[in-house]
Amino acid sequence: SLQQIAKECGVTKASIYYHFESKAQLFTASVTAMTGIARKHTKIIMDQEAPLLDRLRQLAEAKLAKPHGDFETIMREARPSLSPEQVQAIMSSEEAINNILIENFQQAMDRGEIRNADTLFLAHTFYSLIMVGNREIYADYNLSSARLAHQIIDLFWHGIAPE
């Protein structure tokens, strides 16, 4: 509730309504701010001068070090409360993160570092594997986020073909 949010933030409910007309507007602003931060950190990692494999491992480690909710589930639950414009704003902010990966995959293909493939598919596959690794069940295996990231990237990079 907005009352709970206000209490956690140490402000009044009225001050939240001063800045946001509705919970949907607050949700949209929160999600787009969060994805903006994720985009910034993704860009910092992916802009480094290092092989793509090393940058993907570093990105996976960073994303797995801070567990977060499943974005698809959050959006599925929130979508009925959002306007089409709010949904589009959120999806655009998520797309901006994918675009960083798409650009890096294309550059790696151009350099011959990876084989040609659909860059959007690669970006979605990468993030899908990260989301699977982010599930709480992996805490039971006592894997560090670094070890889990390495396993995920190795699967992504090499597939399941025999070595």
Side-chain angles (χ1 to χ4, degrees), residues 31-156:
V31 171
T32 57
M34 176 197 67
T35 55
I37 292 167
R39 182 190 177 285
K40 176 184 167 191
H41 290 288
T42 299
K43 185 160 177 47
I44 288 169
I45 291 170
M46 296 307 291
D47 281 353
Q48 295 178 54
E49 291 293 326
L52 178 63
L53 177 59
D54 294 342
R55 291 179 284 143
L56 290 174
R57 278 196 177 120
Q58 186 178 353
L59 183 59
E61 285 181 35
K63 292 198 174 292
L64 292 170
K66 296 180 181 174
H68 50 280
D70 177 12
F71 187 76
E72 294 301 321
T73 301
I74 292 168
M75 282 304 296
R76 191 171 26 260
E77 292 175 5
R79 192 177 295 264
S81 304
L82 303 173
S83 71
E85 295 80 17
Q86 290 166 331
V87 170
Q88 182 57 47
I90 291 169
M91 300 314 287
S92 293
S93 67
E94 182 187 26
E95 186 177 310
I97 299 170
N98 282 332
N99 287 341
I100 294 168
L101 282 176
I102 288 168
E103 180 181 311
N104 278 270
F105 286 134
Q106 186 60 58
Q107 290 169 356
M109 284 178 213
D110 294 345
R111 290 189 304 269
E113 193 175 355
I114 60 174
R115 65 185 168 113
N116 285 332
D118 182 307
T119 54
L120 179 61
F121 177 75
L122 292 176
H124 285 175
T125 301
F126 174 80
Y127 275 118
S128 293
L129 288 170
I130 298 301
M131 286 298 113
V132 168
N134 198 25
R135 295 206 173 144
E136 294 170 359
I137 61 169
Y138 289 101
D140 295 340
Y141 292 103
N142 288 325
L143 289 174
S144 68
S145 58
R147 180 70 187 128
L148 184 55
H150 280 260
Q151 287 184 358
I152 288 170
I153 296 305
D154 286 343
L155 176 63
F156 178 76

